[in-house]
Amino acid sequence: MEYLASSQEGHDKESNNERLDMIQNMDPTAGTSLLSLPMEAFLKAAISLKDQVVQMTWIGQHGMDSGMGTSMDPTVYTGLLGTAFTCFRSYEATGSQQDLLLTAEIVDTCAVVARASTRHVTFLCGRGGVYALGAVAANYRGDHQRRDLFLSLFLEVAQERALPIGPEEGGFGMSYDLLYGRAGFLWAALFLNNHLGEETVPSNLLMPVVDAVLAGGRAGASDNTACPLMYRWHGTRYWGAANGLAGILQVLLHFPLSNEDAEDVKGTLRYMMSKRFPHSGNYPSSEGNPRDKLVQWSHGATGMALTLCKASKVFVGDREFRDAAIEAGEVVWKNGLVKKVGLADGVAGNAYAFLSLYRLTGESIYEERAKAFASFLYHNAMNLVTDGHASGAAHASSLFQGLAGTACLWFDLLAPEKSRFPGYEL
């Protein structure tokens, strides 16, 4: 599985406006409005959709060579581990021990395949996610032996020399992005430390990797004095959450930064803010790209809204990041009812921008907007996944490109103050 950042489809502005009108101009004679769905409806829908995802990706495939063989996709992003993550999110929302057991069982299957692969070490697309989720699920089950096994496997990954080697040592072999690179490994470690304790993955292993990411960004920006940090993925300077600046900065913002490092992170955010498209307020998908079409987590305002919310919490004295997060949220509200359902490039992912803004500001309008997008999916998710899914049935139930992301969104609506974008927010 390879994610091609440049292949994401844009939204259809005319149809998007029609969908937004449907939310903003309710017909009181049309029955249940999108905004009047009770929380019980979302809970019931979330459980039902989670069960459907499990049936399609796990139960229906269990024991079949095509589903459980070495060619099986074990990742959070588009694979079976995304089902495990969805079950874990269901456990967090409902306390279902059956969902926790399912999480552990699915992780065990993914671990067999992941163990044979050394290619990626990230949370979303590599072994890091398998071992991190495995350790956390085992800990909640009280299985300390299994927890320690997964932790030892994760710490083996953390010892890989490619992770802390910065450009000063010629270490360009590993990318820096969230999906496949150093930032994605760091997020997996943050996930572990968030659930199991701060020094579960010790800082003496993580900070050299953080330093390498910062050093790589400075080297990548050496020909651009206006932007302190810049990274290339497959030769392109992406700005988005998946393969670019927004995702890398999101991870860096979770670590203690020196004054110099913090200024470089802030300077990079300010540079990005200064390059917004003047008419729409949206963000380019890559450095110098004039195409103003993508409003999603992977590219555009959604990923930036989430990262700017985090920046606002870290740099509390810099009001500009809070203002820019709110402005990015307005872009998502106007353009975010795209033609897909998933977290990466669909309505579910875009709804999380509002949940993040709700946690930042406490203003109910953002909770209402998240519920509006979620309600749109309540009525239209199946049609969208059938009509607009470019990757075919293989990813239709996946976390980031299919229906599992919608289930997670519905679970998160039950307690929006505790919500977090899967694999991105902690």
Side-chain angles (χ1 to χ4, degrees), residues 225-254:
T225 57
C227 187
L229 304 173
M230 189 65 71
Y231 303 86
R232 286 183 176 86
W233 189 77
H234 287 201
T236 300
R237 294 174 171 179
Y238 287 109
W239 281 31
N243 297 115
L245 276 170
I248 296 168
L249 296 176
Q250 171 80 1
V251 172
L252 290 175
L253 286 164
H254 285 82

Side-chain angles (χ1 to χ4, degrees), residues 20 22 44 54-55 82 97 122 147 160 203 226 265 326 380 423:
L20 193 56
M22 190 195 321
K44 183 177 180 180
V54 170
Q55 179 66 41
Q97 291 296 313
T122 63
R147 176 201 64 192
E160 291 196 10
S203 56
V265 169
I326 291 171
N380 297 282

Side-chain angles (χ1 to χ4, degrees), residues 308-332:
L308 287 164
C309 283
K310 178 62 179 177
S312 181
K313 294 176 181 178
V314 173
F315 307 126
V316 291
D318 295 285
R319 177 79 186 198
E320 61 191 309
F321 300 125
R322 179 188 175 97
D323 292 342
I326 291 171
E327 290 166 9
E330 292 302 312
V331 176
V332 179

Side-chain angles (χ1 to χ4, degrees), residues 115-400:
R115 185 69 170 160
S117 170
T118 59
R119 187 178 182 193
H120 299 304
V121 298
T122 63
F123 186 84
L124 294 180
C125 292
R127 287 175 289 144
V130 178
Y131 303 151
L133 184 56
V136 169
N139 189 65
Y140 281 109
R141 294 186 65 221
D143 187 346
H144 295 166
Q145 183 177 1
R146 197 75 179 153
R147 176 201 64 192
D148 292 343
L149 171 62
F150 279 118
L151 277 177
S152 68
L153 290 170
F154 188 89
L155 290 173
E156 283 182 18
V157 173
Q159 300 287 346
E160 291 196 10
R161 180 164 168 75
L163 283 164
I165 293 179
E168 68 280 358
E169 299 181 58
F172 290 103
M174 183 178 290
S175 64
Y176 297 95
D177 65 305
L178 187 74
L179 283 194
Y180 301 117
R182 292 174 170 101
F185 163 79
L186 289 171
W187 200 93
L190 288 167
F191 179 81
L192 274 169
N193 288 351
N194 184 59
H195 284 278
L196 303 184
E198 285 187 12
E199 283 290 308
T200 300
V201 186
S203 56
N204 65 340
L205 285 178
L206 299 181
M207 291 312 296
V209 185
V210 173
D211 291 340
V213 173
L214 288 161
R218 291 178 180 125
S222 59
D223 59 348
N224 185 345
T225 57
C227 187
L229 304 173
M230 189 65 71
Y231 303 86
R232 286 183 176 86
W233 189 77
H234 287 201
T236 300
R237 294 174 171 179
Y238 287 109
W239 281 31
N243 297 115
L245 276 170
I248 296 168
L249 296 176
Q250 171 80 1
V251 172
L252 290 175
L253 286 164
H254 285 82
F255 289 92
L257 300 173
S258 69
N259 289 337
E260 179 186 1
D261 296 339
E263 287 304 315
D264 281 352
V265 169
K266 288 194 281 188
T268 303
L269 287 169
R270 288 171 180 142
Y271 174 80
M272 298 173 78
M273 290 154 54
S274 73
K275 297 295 183 179
R276 286 174 287 186
F277 292 113
H279 298 295
S280 69
N282 192 26
Y283 288 79
S285 61
S286 59
E287 178 75 4
N289 192 328
R291 186 168 175 256
D292 180 10
K293 200 171 183 182
L294 302 176
V295 178
Q296 51 190 233
W297 173 80
S298 297
H299 306 288
T302 301
M304 280 301 296
L306 295 162
T307 296
L308 287 164
C309 283
K310 178 62 179 177
S312 181
K313 294 176 181 178
V314 173
F315 307 126
V316 291
D318 295 285
R319 177 79 186 198
E320 61 191 309
F321 300 125
R322 179 188 175 97
D323 292 342
I326 291 171
E327 290 166 9
E330 292 302 312
V331 176
V332 179
W333 177 243
K334 293 174 183 176
N335 301 280
L337 284 175
V338 292
K339 296 188 289 186
K340 297 181 182 180
V341 300
L343 295 177
D345 53 7
V347 179
N350 288 348
Y352 272 99
F354 306 129
L355 289 174
S356 193
L357 283 164
Y358 172 70
R359 297 196 315 275
L360 175 67
T361 67
E363 295 180 9
S364 60
I365 186 174
Y366 297 116
E367 181 183 8
E368 292 166 1
R369 287 180 173 184
K371 186 178 180 182
F373 273 37
S375 299
F376 176 80
L377 288 171
Y378 183 91
H379 293 286
N380 297 282
M382 292 305 173
N383 290 334
L384 287 175
V385 82
T386 300
D387 298 338
H389 205 278
S391 299
H395 295 163
S397 298
S398 70
L399 183 60
F400 269 73

